[in-house]
């Protein structure tokens, strides 16, 4: 029988010292990227709708900026990542009464800030930042403000990735802090067993927080 890659790396001694496997991706985000590539979706329902921000709505396991906000209340019902319907019920939605705005992480396909990809439900601690659906301790804290922008689970750069030139800039070792010390949660080294010291999935309800983890909206 074939052995999964995760199982191989999980064997003692398989991972290099000082490194560990990143947290598993949320099923909803996995489904989203599969949808982008035309693969079968595996979205799962999320029970806690309050896990999204006030200007967001939960749709197929991800938090999107609400269609009501995006269309000034004229097309309030979301029917896909890119469409909003004028009707109040899904069965009353047709091609003629839906508004479309296609784009990848743009148009209607955005989270509450109106410019980022839809996100997995939940929030991170106040000293953390969310990167690709996972909570990490903020690069601004880990680097004392010298490289405040996270570019991967293992790297922080002094420049925000907004263009090809900034990408080239972040390939310069002198302008990047890298290593397993960057791949940590906000509770790393605080001595409190109730706060996550490793990178982790966002907390979606108070019951999921094993300790008094302050959360950021």
């Amino acid at each position: 029988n074939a052995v999964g890659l995760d199982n191989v790396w999980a064997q003692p001694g398989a991972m290099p010292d000082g490194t560990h496997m990143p947290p598993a991706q949320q099923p909803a985000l996995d489904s989203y990227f599969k949808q982008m590539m035309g693969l079968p979706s595996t979205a799962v329902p999320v029970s806690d709708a309050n896990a999204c921000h006030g200007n967001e709505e939960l749709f197929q396991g991800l938090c999107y900026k609400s269609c009501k906000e995006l269309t000034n209340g004229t097309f309030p019902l979301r029917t896909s990542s890119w469409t909003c319907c004028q009707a109040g019920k899904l069965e009353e939605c047709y091609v003629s009464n839906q508004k479309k705005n296609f784009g990848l992480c743009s148009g209607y396909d955005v989270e509450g800030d109106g410019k980022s990809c839809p996100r997995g439900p939940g929030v991170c601690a106040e000293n953390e930042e969310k990167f690709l659906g996972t909570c990490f301790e903020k690069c601004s804290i880990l680097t004392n403000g010298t490289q405040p922008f996270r570019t991967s689970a293992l790297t922080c750069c002094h420049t925000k990735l907004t263009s090809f030139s900034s990408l080239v800039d972040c390939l310069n070792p002198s302008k990047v802090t890298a290593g397993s010390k960057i791949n940590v949660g906000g509770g790393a080294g605080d001595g409190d067993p109730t706060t996550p010291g490793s990178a982790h999935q966002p907390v979606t309800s108070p019951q999921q927080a094993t300790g008094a983890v302050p959360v950021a909206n």
Side-chain angles (χ1 to χ4, degrees):
N1 294 332
V3 178
L5 183 58
D6 289 348
N7 292 331
V8 172
W9 283 116
Q11 299 302 314
M15 293 291 288
D17 292 341
T19 63
H20 55 81
M21 287 290 291
Q25 188 58 270
Q26 289 182 331
L29 285 175
D30 177 66
S31 175
Y32 172 79
F33 288 113
K34 284 182 178 178
Q35 185 180 3
M36 295 298 98
M37 296 183 289
L39 300 174
S41 174
T42 55
V44 294
V46 176
S47 58
D48 187 2
N50 294 323
C52 297
H53 296 162
N55 68 336
E56 296 176 333
E57 59 192 350
L58 189 64
F59 181 78
Q60 293 188 349
L62 291 175
C63 294
Y64 292 81
K65 188 169 185 178
S66 71
C67 277
K68 182 177 180 180
E69 290 256 347
L70 289 166
T71 65
N72 294 317
T74 56
F75 294 79
L77 181 63
R78 181 172 291 277
T79 53
S80 77
S81 298
W82 311 278
T83 55
C84 299
C85 180
Q86 198 170 30
K89 298 178 181 179
L90 186 61
E91 55 267 27
E92 297 173 354
C93 294
Y94 307 96
V95 174
S96 59
N97 64 348
Q98 294 195 64
K99 193 171 184 180
K100 301 172 288 294
N101 195 326
F102 295 103
L104 178 59
C105 304
S106 62
Y108 294 160
D109 185 38
V110 291
E111 65 160 285
D113 65 6
K115 58 184 179 181
S116 304
C117 293
R119 61 183 184 83
V123 290
C124 301
E126 290 179 350
N127 66 337
E128 294 178 329
E129 59 195 349
K130 192 180 293 182
F131 183 80
L132 296 180
T134 299
C135 296
F136 298 88
E137 186 168 357
K138 291 179 178 178
C139 278
S140 58
I141 296 174
L142 291 167
T143 66
N144 293 317
T146 58
Q147 284 94 24
F149 301 105
R150 183 171 291 277
T151 51
S152 77
L154 297 168
T155 55
C156 300
C157 182
H158 86 124
T159 303
K160 188 175 183 179
L161 292 181
T162 57
S163 64
F164 179 75
S165 61
S166 63
L167 174 61
V168 173
D169 211 26
C170 288
L171 295 177
N172 185 336
S174 67
K175 298 180 179 180
V176 176
T177 298
S180 58
K181 62 184 179 182
I182 302 299
N183 187 18
V184 294
D190 66 2
D192 185 349
T194 65
T195 55
S198 301
H200 61 93
Q201 294 299 315
V203 175
T204 57
S205 68
Q207 290 75 22
Q208 287 184 287
T210 55
V213 182
V215 292
N217 294 325

